[in-house]
Amino acid sequence: MRFLFKVLAQVEKPIVVGQDGKNGRRQLIPVPSGTVEGTDLQGNPITGIVLPGAVDSQVIRPDGKCELSARYGVQLSDGRSFYIENNGIRTVPEEYVPRVLRGEFVDPSLYYFATTPRFEAYDDSLRWLENYVFLCKAVRKPDVVEISYYVVE
C-alpha cells in the first residue's frame, strides 16, 4: 500500500436520530467543508476542497462499534471533481463503550478507525480512482476527521 492523499473533513455536532438498546445510537454528522492534499498515482500534487453538503451517517451499536458511511464531493484546485462514498468502522475498548454511547469524545489513540472508499470520477484524468482499491486510516478529533488514503498496489 502507498499513501496518496489526506482529507481533512470539518465536522459539526452530531444530529441524533434516535437511540435504544437494540439498534444503538443513530446519528448524522454534517460535513460543511474540508481540504484535500497529496498526490496522484504518478506523484503529481493534488489539492482541493470538500464541497458543502456532505454527511457522515453513523450507528453506534450497543457494544460501542461505530458503523459509518460518509458521502462527499471533492473539487480539486484545477476544477476537476470526484465523489467519495466511504464506509468503515470505529471500535473502542470495552471500558470506553458507555462514554461512546453517551456521545462523548474518546481520545483517538484509544480506538481503531478504518474505511474502504469508492470513487466516482468526473474527469477522464481521474478515472484511476475508480480502477484501484483504496484503504483509509482515520482519526476523529472534536471538529475534524483526518482521513489518510492508501492505494493497494
Side-chain angles (χ1 to χ4, degrees):
M1 290 195 320
R2 177 169 47 121
F3 171 77
L4 289 184
F5 57 90
K6 181 179 281 190
V7 171
L8 298 177
Q10 300 297 316
V11 292
E12 295 180 349
K13 183 179 175 182
I15 301 163
V16 178
V17 175
Q19 183 169 349
D20 64 21
K22 177 183 174 202
N23 296 306
R25 176 187 177 94
R26 169 66 69 182
Q27 57 189 23
L28 302 172
I29 301 175
V31 182
S33 65
T35 60
V36 178
E37 189 170 326
T39 63
D40 64 16
L41 279 177
Q42 289 73 41
N44 301 311
I46 57 172
T47 60
I49 61 167
V50 174
L51 295 169
V55 67
D56 183 358
S57 176
Q58 302 181 347
V59 61
I60 303 171
R61 300 294 181 193
D63 66 359
K65 177 177 147 183
C66 177
E67 300 167 9
L68 58 101
S69 183
R71 308 280 200 277
Y72 41 101
V74 169
Q75 184 171 40
L76 297 178
S77 55
D78 60 11
R80 298 177 298 161
S81 62
F82 57 91
Y83 176 81
I84 303 172
E85 176 183 324
N86 207 356
N87 300 305
I89 61 168
R90 189 172 65 229
T91 59
V92 296
E94 188 175 337
E95 62 266 28
Y96 295 98
V97 170
R99 290 180 59 190
V100 169
L101 291 175
R102 289 192 301 268
E104 296 176 15
F105 183 75
V106 176
D107 185 316
S109 67
L110 300 172
Y111 58 74
Y112 173 84
F113 187 1
T115 64
T116 55
R118 289 184 46 205
F119 297 90
E120 289 177 8
Y122 293 96
D123 187 278
D124 286 341
S125 66
L126 295 171
R127 294 280 176 234
W128 59 273
L129 290 166
E130 298 175 352
N131 296 323
Y132 285 85
V133 171
F134 288 80
L135 298 174
C136 299
K137 286 296 288 178
V139 176
R140 173 70 159 97
K141 297 182 179 180
D143 61 351
V144 70
V145 178
E146 297 178 10
I147 311 152
S148 296
Y149 285 75
Y150 296 84
V151 63
V152 178
E153 297 183 296

